[in-house]
Amino acid sequence: GKNRYLAFTKPSVAIPGNAFLVDSTGRFSRIAGPQSGLVALASPSGKWVLVSFMFDGVMRMELVDTATQETLPLPIATIADKCVWTLDDSTLYCGVPRNPPLGFRYPDDWYQGAASFQDRLWKIQISGRYTQLVLDFSSETNGSSLDAQALALNPANTVLVFVNKNDGSLWAYKL
């Protein structure tokens, strides 16, 4: 938002992380945590914060309403850095791993390049937390594996752009 900032600890599954809202006077208010591997992504207006973390070895994702501090679990999970908000805060688009490889420490191993995902693109409507599969990358690329990162939307929310972490290629998908 205009008068607040989001700050969170460096994500690691080995250290419980926290997310804070920082107001214009420098006062910190915890909105999430402590959670292992916590990653946070604020909506453009600052009304919502998407939080991802690990719980009992499983990825989880939830929304935090910054006005009420209410936490809403989401039915799908990925690392919050694999998502992007629409400008009106109504929708998230995320690269969600089909079957995250077992035996890795997320998000650490993903950030370090030791693990990669085979993503599908999901749309999450914030109102009602409705999810919709938008694109199964492997079926569109004849079985090639895509690991989406650095997602961005054009201002009209009609084109999603991202980088395939596996080979550094730039992709654009018309929504």
Side-chain angles (χ1 to χ4, degrees):
K2 295 179 182 179
N3 300 322
R4 295 183 299 179
Y5 300 91
L6 174 67
F8 61 96
T9 53
K10 185 173 182 168
S12 175
V13 73
I15 302 169
N18 295 283
F20 302 91
L21 290 180
V22 184
D23 67 19
S24 58
T25 66
R27 188 182 54 153
F28 282 64
S29 302
R30 183 190 338 239
I31 60 164
Q35 296 284 0
S36 294
L38 184 137
V39 180
L41 180 66
S43 68
S45 74
K47 177 176 174 15
W48 296 100
V49 175
L50 175 68
V51 177
S52 64
F53 55 93
M54 295 298 292
F55 184 78
D56 287 339
V58 177
M59 280 186 220
R60 305 273 184 199
M61 210 162 56
E62 58 191 26
L63 290 170
V64 178
D65 183 326
T66 60
T68 66
Q69 304 288 317
E70 181 181 9
T71 301
L72 307 169
L74 292 173
I76 58 175
T78 189
I79 299 168
D81 279 346
K82 295 172 67 65
C83 298
V84 63
W85 286 93
T86 56
L87 289 176
D88 64 2
D89 291 3
S90 67
T91 307
L92 280 159
Y93 288 93
C94 298
V96 178
R98 178 179 293 239
N99 294 310
L102 300 176
F104 289 97
R105 297 167 44 93
Y106 299 116
D108 307 51
D109 288 342
W110 183 78
Y111 284 126
Q112 295 168 5
S116 65
F117 298 138
Q118 185 175 2
D119 287 339
R120 293 186 291 181
L121 179 66
W122 285 83
K123 176 181 179 179
I124 304 168
Q125 287 293 130
I126 302 310
S127 174
R129 299 183 319 253
Y130 171 76
T131 59
Q132 177 184 0
L133 179 63
V134 174
L135 175 66
D136 184 345
F137 294 134
S138 63
S139 67
E140 293 292 321
T141 59
N142 297 322
S144 296
S145 177
L146 294 173
D147 189 350
Q149 71 174 5
L151 284 76
L153 286 166
N154 69 336
N157 298 321
T158 57
V159 178
L160 176 69
V161 178
F162 59 92
V163 173
N164 179 1
K165 189 171 185 266
N166 293 331
D167 62 11
S169 60
L170 180 64
W171 289 73
Y173 182 74
K174 189 173 181 180
L175 299 169

